Amino acid sequence: MRVTRKSDYGLRALCTLARHYNREPVSIGQLSAEHKIPEPFLEKIMQELREHGLVEATHGRGGGYLLKKRPSQISLREIVQALDGPIALVTCLDPSLKCAIEDGCPTSPIWEIVNHQLEEYLASLTLSDVMKLQGE
Amino acid sequence: MRVTRKSDYGLRALCTLARHYNREPVSIGQLSAEHKIPEPFLEKIMQELREHGLVEATHGRGGGYLLKKRPSQISLREIVQALDGPIALVTCLDPSLKCAIEDGCPTSPIWEIVNHQLEEYLASLTLSDVMKLQGE
DNA sequence: TGAACTCGGAGTATTTTACTCGGAATTTGA
DNA sequence: TCAAATTCCGAGTAAAATACTCCGAGTTCA
């Protein structure tokens, strides 16, 4: 029942990018220094976020990453899905796998409900909510 | 973002025990056959559930497990906590560990909220809800 | 007394997570 | 035009968590 460190790190980095929204790009070096995240690992994370359309990168000197959408348009759900893959509380619910027990699985209905609830809740929270909570 | 197989298996086994509530105990052998769970693994799971007061065991021939409380008194939260440990979406929130970033952690407030929401939701669902959803 | 059970501790195998490494491509400034 | 600063990409490795197994001992009952 845990989000991976990738999602945790990713969210932290995105917070910084949210602060820099509409300003100069932020490099891996800066991001990893600010959040104490190992550089090469964060590099992978940012690449995945880019592949999923959450950030964009500019190459070369002075380059780095920027949010591709407004902070209020980026939900926790997108972030977690981008970095951890589909949200599936039990393997049954992972679309890339199939449930071992074809039918009459006694527990999948309840997990489906919980899973759906969780997804919706994560979808309702955005980077700007995260920012708002920061000062407190 | 996944519940371990222990919780998944545990819930399945508890469903069977719920059907047998106030009847004869059910052995590991029966439970593992019904749900196709490896016997020695299920044995461990049932032991943990017993240690957490969710089931009770009777030894010897004809023995096995029974629910210790009514199905409507056993929540998904208890089950998951018994088998997977504390519900903590990020390591920050695990009471047995401490957050690496002492203060000013930018993301822990939001995770705390999501975590709390999830816990409450799991607490609101009980074994009898799981049973009700089964037939459908 | 022996078969059908659980108990408890200590192990192992597998999978997932958390990272590292190195070389190529791109951009900018001196 | 060259060197520094950056991302890109593919392939790897290390560590940790999960998913199990094994075995000997204790209980209960017929």
Side-chain angles (χ1 to χ4, degrees), chain A residues 49-62:
Chain A
L49 290 174
R50 183 182 51 81
E51 283 158 16
H52 284 84
L54 301 185
V55 301
E56 58 190 349
T58 54
H59 281 222
R61 193 184 179 123

Side-chain angles (χ1 to χ4, degrees), chain A residues 75-78 80-81 85-89 93-95 111-125, chain B residues 1 114 118 121:
Chain A
S75 69
L76 282 192
R77 179 191 185 178
E78 284 178 281
V80 170
Q81 282 180 336
I87 293 169
L89 284 176
L93 301 177
D94 192 324
W111 288 126
E112 220 164 303
I113 292 176
V114 177
N115 204 79
H116 183 256
Q117 234 11 60
L118 179 60
E119 275 198 52
E120 290 302 307
Y121 190 58
L122 289 174
S124 77
L125 297 171
Chain B
M1 196 71 100
V114 177
L118 179 60
Y121 190 59

Side-chain angles (χ1 to χ4, degrees), chain A residues 33-44:
Chain A
E34 176 173 348
H35 299 289
K36 313 238 171 63
I37 302 169
E39 275 202 40
F41 192 36
L42 183 58
E43 201 178 317
K44 289 298 172 202

Side-chain angles (χ1 to χ4, degrees), chain B residues 18-31:
Chain B
R19 286 205 317 273
H20 282 252
Y21 189 59
N22 275 333
R23 311 229 313 267
E24 350 66 68
V26 188
S27 72
I28 298 279
Q30 288 173 271
L31 291 170

Side-chain angles (χ1 to χ4, degrees), chain B residues 100-116:
Chain B
I101 297 163
E102 300 73 20
D103 47 22
C105 181
T107 55
S108 63
I110 194 91
W111 288 126
E112 218 165 303
I113 291 176
V114 177
N115 203 80
H116 182 256

Side-chain angles (χ1 to χ4, degrees), chain B residues 60-125:
Chain B
R61 195 186 178 120
Y65 293 90
L66 280 176
L67 292 189
K68 207 166 173 181
K69 302 195 278 187
R70 275 178 290 137
S72 63
Q73 293 300 110
I74 297 182
S75 70
L76 282 192
R77 178 190 185 179
E78 283 177 282
I79 300 169
V80 170
Q81 282 180 337
L83 296 172
D84 284 7
I87 293 169
L89 284 177
V90 288
T91 45
C92 274
L93 301 177
D94 191 324
S96 71
L97 307 163
K98 54 165 187 236
C99 182
I101 297 163
E102 300 73 20
D103 47 22
C105 181
T107 55
S108 63
I110 194 91
W111 288 126
E112 218 165 303
I113 291 176
V114 177
N115 203 80
H116 182 256
Q117 237 7 62
L118 179 60
E119 274 198 52
E120 289 302 307
Y121 190 59
L122 289 174
S124 78
L125 297 171

Side-chain angles (χ1 to χ4, degrees), chain B residues 38-57:
Chain B
E39 276 201 39
F41 192 36
L42 184 58
E43 202 178 317
K44 289 300 169 202
I45 293 170
M46 297 312 292
Q47 277 175 31
E48 289 189 60
L49 290 174
R50 182 182 50 80
E51 284 158 14
H52 284 84
L54 301 185
V55 301
E56 60 191 346

